[in-house]
Amino acid sequence: MSATSLPEIAHELEDKPPVLVGRPDDRSLDRRVLGALWSPSIARWWWPLFLFSAGGTGLLLFLMLYTVVTGIGVWGNNIPVAWGFGITDFVFWIGIGHAGTFISAILYLCAQRWRTTINRIAETMTLFAVVNAGIFPLIHLGRPWFAYWLVPYPATTGVWPNFRSALPWDAAAVSTYLTVSVLFWYSGLIPDLAAMRDFQTSRLKARIYGLFSLGWRGSAEQWAQHKTVYLILAGLATPLVLSVHTVVSFDFSITQLPGWHSALFPPYFVAGAIYSGFAMVIMLLIPIRKLYKLEDVITEAHLEASAKLMLATGWIVLYAYALDPFIAWWSGEPTELYLQTFARPLGPFAVLYWTQIFCNCVVPQVYWIKRARRSHVVLFIGSALILFGMWLERFVLIYTSLARDWLPSSWHDFTPTWVDGGLIFGTACFFVFNYLLFLRFVPFVPLSELKEMRHELEKEDLEKAGEELPYEKEARGVVPAR
Amino acid sequence: MSRIVNGHRLPDEVDEGAPNRREFLSALGLGIASAALAACTRAPDERIVPYVHQPPEVTPGVASFYATAIVEDGYATGLLAESHEGRPTKIEGNPRHPSSLGATSAIHQAWVLQLYDPNRARGIEQSGRPASRRALEEHLGKQREAARATRGRNVHLLLSPTSSPLMLARLDHLRAALPEVHVWYEPGASPVNAWEGARRAFGKVLEVDADLSKAEVIVAIDSDPLARGPLSLRDARRFGQRRRLRSPDETPPRLWAIEPALTCTGIAADDRVRLRASDIGPFVIALLADVLDAMPDAKVPAEVRSAIAGVLRTKDDRRARLVHDLLAHKEKSALIVGPSQPPEVHAVVHAIHAALGAIGPTITLRPSPIAEAGGPSFAHAPLLSALDGNAVDLLLVSGANPAYDAPVDEDFTRRMRKAKSSVVHALHAHETAREASWIVPARHGLETWGDARAADGTLGIVQPLIAPLFNGLSDTELVAMLAGDPRVEDHEALMALHAGEEGAWERALQAGIMDGTAIAPLPPTLDGGAVAAAMGAIKPAPAGLEIGFPLDAKVHDGRFANVAWLQELPDPITKLTWRNAARISTATAKRLGLSTNDEVDLVLHDRSVRSTIVVSPGDADDVITLSRGWGRKGAEDLARDRGSCASHLRTAVAPHYDVGVAVRAIGTQYRLAITQEHVQLHGRELIAVHRSRAEWKKEPDFAADLRKPQPTLYKLPIVGSPLHNQWGMVIDLAACTGCSACVVACQAENNIPTVGEEAVRERREMHWLRIDRYYLGDSNVDGEPRAIVQPMLCQHCEKAPCEYVCPVNATVHSEDGLNEQLYQRCVGTRFCSNNCPYKVRRFNWFRFHHPSETEKMVFNPDVTVRGRGVMEKCSFCVQRIREAEISCRTENRPYKDGDVKTACQQACPTGAIVFGSIADPKSGVSVARANPRQYAALDESAGTEPRVRYLAKISDSSEEKA
């Protein structure tokens, strides 16, 4: 590397994969993006996956019912470990939900072109992840039928939620996030649903898509309003990316439990959330572009950008991990010192802890290497490890702090039950189940935005070649107006 | 306490047939109780009966207290039973009874649940078929008439040891009919060795009564005087009073414990000597020899002095220090020998007392209140040979379970079948009852009229609180039936026996005792020759692994094994629930390559018992301890097949301990349900603070930093509002022995469910109050660990971490400083538990209460029965606080200190728990808070400002001085 000359670095910088390979015309994009949805060729893999995930979803529903009817004791939770897999799963799924909004809102505001093709894939991931996350705080209550008490409504009892607790804020933050995400997702979808309507040959399908496209005609006025709404929603969603996981982190940081009580948590949780979210995005993009043969639309550029973001957020997470023992040492509190400098790295939780460190801190370092960033296999396996590592991170954080708290007399370990395991498996299946339905019925590549980008790219191409731009030609009457 | 409405005599029995008032009342109580309980969840299915004719002494909602007593192996402990509309719900100690002084043990607290045990025998059975009382009466009458020919020679009674004048009168009556009837008393749980030791030393059977309020050196020799035995509540109270030090200049008595396995007394001890039980005899004679050497002018018989020449004395630093202590205090010494030690050791200790001049000033000896104590009737052997000779026409067993508990080589079960007819009178269809031709259900103590003597002889009346639930007979009734006594009813007979002058009977019922009935002490003379012989009989024990079979701290000899509260009570030492296990010391475990949960076969004299290892730091090396009372096989559902039966290894010659046991690991594990897995403080010595007296002297205010208010930006939410009492509690760790009476008292008072072994293993036990036990010492717990116990309950923090995290305001602070839990508002996020530094909150993971129809009756109607999904925790017995406040208001008087006692405080034998208002500077709790030992647990780290404070444990080891 020492001999790297400036031109070489310039070349390195130039060596970016394109965000769109070729310049497919509108009709072919229509055919490929919209036609993919109802294409009979996907049935080969779609149906088996669908049936399997439907089975898993059935298991999820059964286990939810079983938990609510029998009691939370069917989980492995105990005193002192009163929160176990349930809250771990909640934080995990909420975290995954972050990359979607990050891509669609923040990158939109930052005018990052590579977000265009993949934003709907990521946003949809957000929706289904948040739906999954929402399951856990509900069923982990001792009396879930009173969950509405966490919502500030004017009750005749005159009793309000306790606003000093993080949990009512949590409920508010998650439901706000879900609401804004749904609105944002749907408003982006309207032109594409209309395109889908126009693309259908079957009258019934056209009607149904027509219903959902809310009368979109593609007029200039509609486009103008649409753009404004989309921009406003992007502006609204942006702070939510930061606030939701900040509030989730309050579930821990407002306590005084050593290992939870930390002012570091909000940024660390947000970074961790985006980190795991991008891992999930990669794990979705790789099979989707392959199965739908969309390699020219979802390109190396998208994967590489995601990998770079994982590397960046991974380092924030690593920094937070490194600070934990430091803060414990700084506090001088024996309970925290024991947890951070002994119990986690050297004591009973060493295997969990070092697996977490390996997955979240060691694995992403491979993305310093360009070839690794572009290798589908490395990306896929790396992302899977990081996803697992991030789940483990939440589990280690929640579990080990509770299991080794102040009084050694109450220390106790946690053993998950089959219900605990079944619920994770069930939510994963539910996620896949929802996602398969989405791939089947909804244009998962934002067609209108893609076309817009293609036009912009064309313009740039022409500008680069010094040629006249199409509308200039139109203006001169060289070509007939489109 | 104001709410004690003592002394309502129960009405006389009216004619049989029609339900009398008591039966009516109890039925009514059941109806109302079930209705009220059912109403907690859904509309009642049962038809309920309104209180049309309210009995004059019953006010619905107001509890009455009746004096009664529990009789254990013949010794009575006076109790007050709380009754709600005719159903007993809670046991308290009778402050006027010399064996209680107001305190109770864990077993006493759980006794009330045994009353409602659904597994109790429910009717007379003949060979498995229901039979009528008349049929039994006819059968016994036939037996009696048939036996008249042989003057009753072939009639054998095996009874529980008794001190009851009524029982003795009944037996006299029986003997009038059958003069040669054999009456045996079950020796299994009686101090026969102590009686025999006294007989050898003094020529007569006497019981030792050590006055711990005077003793300066207390030596517990293979005994647990602060937690076990008929006088333990009184002794613990006296000991506790002298341990509650206010300044380092006070001199507490020094407590020595010489024991094979750590006991509650051992936890409280300043000095411990870990010895195999079989090595204690040689230690004790060497002790006598050392004492006599140092006291050439001691008044002991010459034979004893000359016998010391033959005593083998190895150099032992601990013995030297003990001798030094004894010589420093001479007549103010008390050596208390346990019932497991052989008579010779008891005799030698009598000689030590005599040499020190302690008999009189500190040690009182008086005849036993137990009938025929020390006599030949306390044995199985003659009965067994009679059985072998087919010379038993009728065997009547009452209050004993020899088929389970007798030493294995007596083979009681098989021999018992040789009796032509056997009648077993028992609370349950237990092992012995199942072998009998007749099963007669016994009355529970709370259903029985009776009388019994305390260990000092004080006579008290046992009053029934409720009509028999399952048509039981009392033992006295059964004997009367056999004797053909027309006055079978106990009540009448008892009145006739104790009526005395006008009003005496009523007074006895009210007080629970009859004044002036204590047995006078006897000034004994030591029989030198016998003591010398005893000294000669004590031989050094062979080396090897010893196994001990003490009575269990919870289930005694198995008779309480079906009581869920006791099953789930963590053992005071091992914290094990729901079974027994083979205890071994850390070093022995290491040597044998065993650890907790390992399953082993214990092999002794070719007999083998499978058990599970539990490592118990502080036990003597080379000792296995397997407590009795487990591995039951009777009809008791909870008790059946739990743990290992020690009696399968006990032999008639060595019923207490034996050397030569082999341990064979079988390679499997059984996960024991232990409530505290981590026994060390991990550098957090400020949780359970311990100082030696020397350290305290050096630093008189060592706890100042641990109780000072933490710096804060906020005002404390509530400090001393003048309108309210400000409730607080102080627990003296120097007085606490970890006996666990408070744990069961809390369970009984607050309707705390039991959850079962599996749930305890998952750490879902519900005890609001637990006793943490730590072993101190920096490296490990191999050597001579010092244990410290710390009752842990909701600390009622002024800055409670649980309160601000609850999303629905289900846990809030009251104006009088209570941290309140609102069950009906709780949604069960468990956030509060996560944020509780003390982990005292308990969650209803399932619906834990599944009471049977009878068990429902034990519920305290003043406390909510919690359903599934809500958090619960100690409330400082808020129901008692509010009740006292209401009576203050209705009686228009100010609250005075002591009007409220929490359940744990009331039960505590040592008086380690003080509760009251810290707003009143003169209250007991304020005085205790002013103690320089006072500190707040974890406040320095967590800043919780707890209302519960601890007084640091102070010990005064002789090593320190040397």
Side-chain angles (χ1 to χ4, degrees):
Chain A
M1 292 296 279
S2 55
T4 315
S5 62
L6 267 177
E8 273 175 327
I9 290 171
H11 178 72
E12 280 273 302
L13 291 173
E14 282 298 297
D15 180 26
K16 275 186 181 166
V19 290
L20 184 65
V21 181
R23 295 293 177 261
D25 66 8
D26 287 0
R27 190 161 296 277
S28 87
L29 281 176
D30 280 353
R31 204 183 57 245
R32 294 186 50 216
V33 172
L34 300 179
L37 269 58
W38 291 91
S39 152
S41 64
I42 63 166
R44 195 167 31 87
W45 55 267
W46 194 89
W47 275 107
L49 265 179
F50 179 77
L51 290 176
F52 180 79
S53 61
T57 304
L59 176 73
L60 173 69
L61 293 177
F62 166 74
L63 290 180
M64 287 168 65
L65 197 69
Y66 179 58
T67 303
V68 171
V69 170
T70 318
I72 212 76
V74 297
W75 298 6
N77 300 30
N78 55 53
I79 303 288
V81 189
W83 288 358
F85 271 25
I87 298 298
T88 305
D89 297 345
F90 161 68
V91 181
F92 173 73
W93 282 113
I94 275 283
I96 286 180
H98 276 64
T101 316
F102 183 83
I103 289 175
S104 22
I106 296 187
L107 297 185
Y108 178 73
L109 294 181
C110 299
Q112 288 292 305
R113 186 169 274 161
W114 62 272
R115 80 170 265 288
T116 306
T117 333
I118 61 168
N119 80 50
R120 187 156 305 135
I121 289 175
E123 255 179 78
T124 311
M125 175 192 82
T126 292
L127 288 188
F128 297 151
V130 173
V131 166
N132 266 350
I135 291 172
F136 287 102
L138 278 185
I139 61 168
H140 114 291
L141 292 180
R143 303 198 294 171
W145 45 93
F146 291 127
Y148 65 94
W149 286 351
L150 269 74
V151 179
Y153 69 100
T156 49
T157 56
V159 184
W160 290 89
N162 176 11
F163 296 109
R164 293 184 298 166
S165 170
L167 297 188
W169 297 100
D170 217 13
V174 173
S175 50
T176 309
Y177 188 53
L178 184 64
T179 312
V180 172
S181 298
V182 169
L183 287 175
F184 193 48
W185 176 79
Y186 197 80
S187 63
L189 196 56
I190 291 170
D192 291 353
L193 287 172
M196 199 63 195
R197 171 196 65 197
D198 300 343
F199 185 75
Q200 295 310 315
T201 47
S202 141
R203 178 171 286 260
L204 180 69
K205 286 181 188 169
R207 286 241 167 130
I208 293 171
Y209 281 106
L211 199 67
F212 282 106
S213 57
L214 306 179
W216 181 262
R217 308 233 72 84
S219 70
E221 189 187 350
Q222 280 183 336
W223 274 114
Q225 284 170 352
H226 182 263
K227 286 275 171 199
T228 315
V229 166
Y230 201 66
L231 189 65
I232 289 172
L233 284 174
L236 275 177
T238 300
L240 285 179
V241 176
L242 303 177
S243 71
V244 175
H245 231 55
T246 300
V247 172
V248 169
S249 80
F250 289 167
D251 292 355
F252 308 100
S253 54
I254 67 159
T255 68
Q256 36 187 345
L257 184 73
W260 285 15
H261 178 70
S262 166
L264 190 67
F265 275 17
Y268 152 46
F269 266 52
V270 172
I274 295 169
Y275 185 41
S276 63
F278 270 100
M280 191 64 146
V281 167
I282 288 175
M283 290 191 68
L284 288 169
L285 288 182
I286 290 176
I288 287 173
R289 70 196 284 266
K290 191 109 194 155
L291 290 167
Y292 286 99
K293 304 198 173 53
L294 288 171
E295 284 94 341
D296 54 341
V297 177
I298 303 168
T299 68
E300 307 284 331
H302 300 106
L303 295 176
E304 189 167 3
S306 305
K308 283 177 179 168
L309 265 168
M310 282 205 301
L311 187 56
T313 46
W315 269 96
I316 302 179
V317 167
L318 191 152
Y319 175 68
Y321 292 171
L323 275 185
D324 269 348
F326 168 77
I327 290 172
W329 169 77
W330 191 253
S331 76
E333 171 54 48
T335 310
E336 191 165 2
L337 265 174
Y338 178 85
L339 178 75
Q340 302 283 17
T341 62
F342 177 75
R344 279 186 192 166
L346 304 171
F349 312 120
V351 172
L352 290 176
Y353 180 78
W354 290 110
T355 310
Q356 168 200 337
I357 296 290
F358 172 77
C359 291
N360 296 345
C361 302
V362 178
V363 168
Q365 305 314 324
V366 74
Y367 299 133
W368 287 109
I369 303 162
K370 185 159 58 179
R371 275 180 57 201
R373 290 201 298 270
R374 293 180 186 184
S375 156
H376 297 176
V377 177
V378 172
L379 276 174
F380 194 84
I381 293 173
S383 300
L385 285 173
I386 288 167
L387 263 187
F388 173 70
M390 285 308 292
W391 184 89
L392 203 60
E393 174 209 287
R394 278 66 171 252
F395 179 62
V396 167
L397 183 133
I398 291 170
Y399 161 46
T400 64
S401 313
L402 288 169
R404 293 291 180 276
D405 76 334
W406 307 91
L407 298 186
S409 65
S410 48
W411 290 358
H412 184 65
D413 296 342
F414 169 85
T415 318
T417 63
W418 69 276
V419 181
D420 283 312
L423 280 168
I424 300 183
F425 175 75
T427 44
C429 284
F430 188 43
F431 180 83
V432 174
F433 174 82
N434 283 325
Y435 218 91
L436 287 170
L437 288 176
F438 158 74
L439 290 176
R440 191 76 172 151
F441 297 116
V442 183
F444 53 89
V445 174
L447 185 63
S448 55
E449 290 182 58
L450 182 63
K451 286 179 182 169
E452 187 185 347
M453 183 180 78
R454 200 255 307 160
H455 283 276
E456 284 170 14
L457 287 172
E458 263 177 4
K459 181 183 160 198
E460 283 168 24
D461 291 346
L462 293 172
E463 277 171 349
K464 214 176 274 176
E467 280 185 35
E468 204 174 1
L469 298 172
Y471 64 89
E472 289 168 333
K473 286 185 186 172
E474 279 170 25
R476 288 195 294 116
V478 176
V479 288
R482 269 184 270 191
Chain B
M1 251 178 65
S2 64
R3 70 199 194 110
I4 294 180
V5 189
N6 188 14
H8 288 294
R9 182 167 71 82
L10 285 177
D12 299 353
E13 305 267 349
V14 281
D15 52 8
E16 266 192 294
N20 60 28
R21 195 172 64 187
R22 240 181 39 224
E23 284 166 10
F24 169 69
L25 262 182
S26 64
L28 204 57
L30 174 62
I32 290 172
S34 340
L37 291 167
C40 298
T41 47
R42 54 185 74 89
D45 304 328
E46 302 92 345
R47 222 153 46 87
I48 57 168
V49 185
Y51 243 140
V52 181
H53 302 293
Q54 184 177 321
E57 72 266 26
V58 172
T59 313
V62 177
S64 315
F65 286 76
Y66 297 91
T68 184
I70 183 173
V71 185
E72 297 166 283
D73 305 311
Y75 299 96
T77 305
L79 305 173
L80 299 178
E82 178 176 359
S83 172
H84 282 275
E85 287 91 50
R87 60 191 172 91
T89 58
K90 177 82 171 61
I91 299 295
E92 305 294 357
N94 181 354
R96 296 177 63 175
H97 195 275
S99 292
S100 161
L101 304 180
T104 44
S105 73
I107 287 176
H108 301 158
Q109 286 293 337
W111 191 47
V112 66
L113 187 61
Q114 193 183 36
L115 168 67
Y116 299 115
D117 184 349
N119 289 151
R120 279 178 58 186
R122 296 201 176 206
I124 300 169
E125 275 181 33
Q126 184 191 6
S127 319
R129 278 188 306 276
S132 66
R133 184 178 162 135
R134 189 178 303 276
L136 174 71
E137 216 163 341
E138 276 169 16
H139 174 72
L140 291 178
K142 252 186 246 158
Q143 292 283 342
R144 180 180 63 245
E145 295 316 316
R148 278 192 201 276
T150 54
R151 296 169 59 78
R153 207 173 300 134
N154 294 343
V155 175
H156 291 253
L157 273 60
L158 176 60
L159 303 178
S160 164
T162 186
S163 61
S164 156
L166 175 65
M167 183 54 136
L168 297 179
R170 299 286 208 196
L171 287 173
D172 284 347
H173 203 93
L174 176 63
R175 287 197 179 99
L178 305 171
E180 288 183 33
V181 65
H182 295 277
V183 179
W184 310 108
Y185 294 103
E186 171 56 42
S190 286
V192 283
N193 284 353
W195 292 333
E196 177 62 17
R199 207 182 52 76
R200 298 227 188 137
F202 304 118
K204 46 185 167 264
V205 172
L206 297 170
E207 289 196 2
V208 177
D209 183 353
D211 189 349
L212 301 193
S213 58
K214 291 188 192 132
E216 293 298 335
V217 184
I218 305 163
V219 189
I221 300 169
D222 196 4
S223 66
D224 192 1
L226 302 184
R228 311 298 302 282
L231 283 170
S232 62
L233 296 174
R234 184 203 67 180
D235 288 351
R237 175 63 50 91
R238 288 177 175 171
F239 175 79
Q241 271 161 1
R242 299 185 64 201
R243 276 293 172 115
R244 295 204 289 275
L245 305 178
R246 280 164 302 250
S247 96
D249 301 320
E250 286 175 89
T251 48
R254 175 166 294 148
L255 175 61
W256 283 77
I258 302 166
E259 54 191 10
L262 183 63
T263 60
C264 292
T265 305
I267 286 174
D270 300 295
D271 283 286
R272 284 188 71 230
V273 181
R274 301 184 300 142
L275 279 183
R276 294 189 310 168
S278 46
D279 292 334
I280 285 176
F283 184 90
V284 167
I285 45 173
L287 190 66
L288 172 62
D290 287 352
V291 168
L292 288 182
D293 275 354
M295 295 179 72
D297 53 345
K299 282 193 225 82
V300 286
E303 300 97 314
V304 176
R305 195 170 283 285
S306 55
I308 65 172
V311 171
L312 182 73
R313 273 185 276 180
T314 50
K315 194 172 150 39
D316 187 337
D317 174 51
R318 297 167 305 185
R319 196 177 73 237
R321 282 188 277 120
L322 174 55
V323 170
H324 180 269
D325 274 354
L326 291 174
L327 293 174
H329 296 288
K330 290 202 180 75
E331 76 284 356
K332 292 191 170 172
S333 304
L335 291 79
I336 304 165
V337 189
S340 302
Q341 285 295 316
E344 291 81 9
V345 175
H346 288 268
V348 170
V349 168
H350 288 308
I352 298 178
H353 280 149
L356 292 166
I359 297 176
T362 318
I363 302 293
T364 311
L365 292 149
R366 61 165 70 86
S368 174
I370 305 296
E372 299 180 41
S377 53
F378 274 83
H380 286 160
L383 169 62
L384 293 171
S385 51
L387 283 166
D388 281 343
N390 291 317
V392 179
D393 292 340
L394 173 67
L395 172 65
L396 189 149
V397 181
S398 170
N401 188 7
Y404 160 74
D405 194 41
V408 62
D409 54 346
E410 289 185 353
D411 203 4
F412 199 96
T413 312
R414 191 181 53 79
R415 287 159 139 173
M416 181 185 160
R417 293 185 191 132
K418 295 183 181 169
K420 293 200 181 66
S421 169
S422 51
V423 177
V424 173
H425 171 252
L427 217 48
H428 298 92
H430 55 46
E431 292 86 340
T432 312
R434 289 181 153 196
E435 297 297 331
S437 36
W438 287 78
I439 300 177
V440 182
R443 288 191 182 183
H444 186 270
L446 288 168
E447 300 168 336
T448 313
W449 278 108
D451 52 3
R453 290 185 185 273
D456 73 351
T458 303
L459 191 60
I461 304 293
V462 178
Q463 287 195 92
L465 268 284
I466 190 167
L469 294 171
F470 304 122
N471 299 317
L473 262 70
S474 72
D475 51 355
T476 41
E477 280 175 343
L478 189 65
V479 171
M481 207 183 262
L482 179 62
D485 191 335
R487 284 188 317 176
V488 171
E489 290 295 329
D490 286 334
H491 180 228
E492 254 179 274
L494 208 55
M495 289 259 282
L497 206 60
H498 298 296
E501 82 226 44
E502 182 70 26
W505 170 250
E506 278 74 14
R507 277 200 305 280
L509 288 187
Q510 277 192 12
I513 57 165
M514 298 165 99
D515 288 323
T517 47
I519 299 171
L522 275 180
T525 35
L526 200 64
D527 177 348
V531 173
M535 288 169 74
I538 296 173
K539 296 274 183 280
L545 212 49
E546 176 189 279
I547 184 164
F549 315 107
L551 290 166
D552 192 77
K554 303 190 289 177
V555 303
H556 200 61
D557 58 357
R559 72 184 73 162
F560 298 109
N562 210 45
V563 183
W565 290 347
L566 292 171
Q567 284 274 359
E568 193 149 310
L569 175 69
D571 179 271
I573 309 299
T574 61
K575 300 292 161 194
L576 175 63
T577 62
W578 287 99
R579 58 182 61 236
N580 68 344
R583 280 171 63 172
I584 53 173
S585 77
T586 320
T588 307
K590 216 171 265 175
R591 184 170 70 74
L592 298 172
L594 294 169
S595 52
T596 298
N597 295 340
D598 284 350
E599 286 196 293
V600 292
D601 280 333
L602 305 171
V603 187
L604 182 69
H605 308 312
D606 299 327
R607 295 186 191 93
S608 164
V609 161
R610 183 151 298 176
S611 186
T612 314
I613 291 290
V614 62
V615 175
S616 172
D619 284 7
D621 297 337
D622 291 328
V623 171
I624 298 175
T625 308
L626 186 68
S627 61
R628 288 160 61 187
W630 298 88
R632 298 286 312 277
K633 298 279 184 201
E636 297 100 318
D637 287 339
L638 292 180
R640 199 178 312 121
D641 295 323
R642 291 200 170 277
S644 328
C645 179
S647 286
H648 289 167
L649 294 177
R650 293 169 66 220
T651 53
V653 285
H656 299 295
Y657 54 84
D658 210 342
V659 178
V661 67
V663 183
R664 287 205 206 109
I666 58 167
T668 54
Q669 291 217 319
Y670 181 87
R671 228 180 112 210
L672 296 169
I674 294 173
T675 60
Q676 187 183 348
E677 295 139 83
H678 296 268
V679 301
Q680 288 185 281
L681 279 165
H682 295 272
R684 304 168 197 186
E685 268 67 31
L686 302 184
I687 294 169
V689 180
H690 170 260
R691 290 284 185 280
S692 72
R693 209 155 68 87
E695 286 169 332
W696 190 15
K697 266 194 177 140
K698 237 176 272 166
E699 197 187 350
D701 209 9
F702 64 88
D705 279 352
L706 299 178
R707 61 165 175 268
K708 64 163 194 251
Q710 298 300 309
T712 175
L713 293 172
Y714 303 97
K715 247 176 66 186
L716 284 181
I718 298 150
V719 184
S721 153
L723 293 175
H724 296 281
N725 285 314
Q726 292 300 325
W727 303 111
M729 181 181 276
V730 173
I731 301 176
D732 193 337
L733 300 185
C736 179
T737 63
C739 75
S740 306
C742 52
V743 179
V744 187
C746 174
Q747 185 152 28
E749 172 72 17
N750 292 302
N751 299 338
I752 296 172
T754 51
V755 297
E757 183 176 26
E758 184 55 35
V760 172
R761 206 178 280 140
E762 287 165 4
R763 295 302 299 282
R764 289 167 176 180
E765 70 274 10
M766 297 301 287
H767 292 139
W768 287 3
L769 166 60
R770 63 171 195 263
I771 298 183
D772 289 345
R773 176 264 292 115
Y774 299 104
Y775 295 104
L776 304 177
D778 16 82
S779 56
N780 55 45
V781 284
D782 265 12
E784 301 281 344
R786 176 172 288 286
I788 184 167
V789 283
Q790 181 176 39
M792 186 51 72
L793 65 165
C794 175
Q795 304 279 301
H796 292 270
C797 309
E798 284 174 13
K799 293 197 292 179
C802 52
E803 289 172 7
Y804 73 86
V805 298
C806 174
V808 292
N809 281 315
T811 184
V812 291
H813 226 75
S814 76
E815 304 236 297
D816 46 1
L818 303 179
N819 172 262
E820 295 176 321
Q821 178 72 25
L822 290 87
Y823 310 123
Q824 63 275 51
R825 177 71 181 171
C826 178
V827 297
T829 66
R830 307 186 291 285
F831 206 175
C832 51
S833 170
N834 290 345
N835 208 24
C836 174
Y838 309 95
K839 289 289 175 285
V840 290
R841 295 179 148 261
R842 298 288 178 238
F843 187 69
N844 287 276
W845 301 97
F846 295 108
R847 196 169 74 97
F848 281 131
H849 277 298
H850 297 284
S852 63
E853 282 303 311
T854 49
E855 285 167 309
K856 279 178 182 172
M857 292 168 72
V858 85
F859 284 139
N860 181 354
D862 299 334
V863 177
T864 309
V865 176
R866 282 81 57 190
R868 156 160 92 83
V870 299
M871 194 59 82
E872 57 181 75
K873 52 144 212 114
C874 161
S875 65
F876 264 171
C877 286
V878 65
Q879 66 280 6
R880 293 187 174 202
I881 293 176
R882 299 299 174 239
E883 196 178 344
E885 285 172 350
I886 290 166
S887 15
C888 287
R889 258 200 314 277
T890 52
E891 291 160 27
N892 197 17
R893 63 177 174 86
Y895 175 86
K896 68 175 192 306
D897 193 36
D899 277 355
V900 181
K901 275 188 174 155
T902 61
C904 51
Q905 175 191 21
Q906 194 165 3
C908 180
T910 58
I913 303 176
V914 188
F915 177 81
S917 174
I918 60 169
D920 170 11
K922 287 195 284 294
S923 70
V925 72
S926 294
V927 171
R929 278 169 76 101
N931 191 307
R933 292 186 287 135
Q934 186 253 106
Y935 74 96
L938 284 182
D939 187 27
E940 205 184 31
S941 302
T944 45
E945 300 287 336
R947 276 284 170 89
V948 174
R949 297 298 170 100
Y950 293 94
L951 302 185
K953 178 170 177 169
I954 300 295
S955 63
D956 187 20
S957 168
S958 61
E959 233 162 344
E960 203 88 22
K961 223 173 267 177

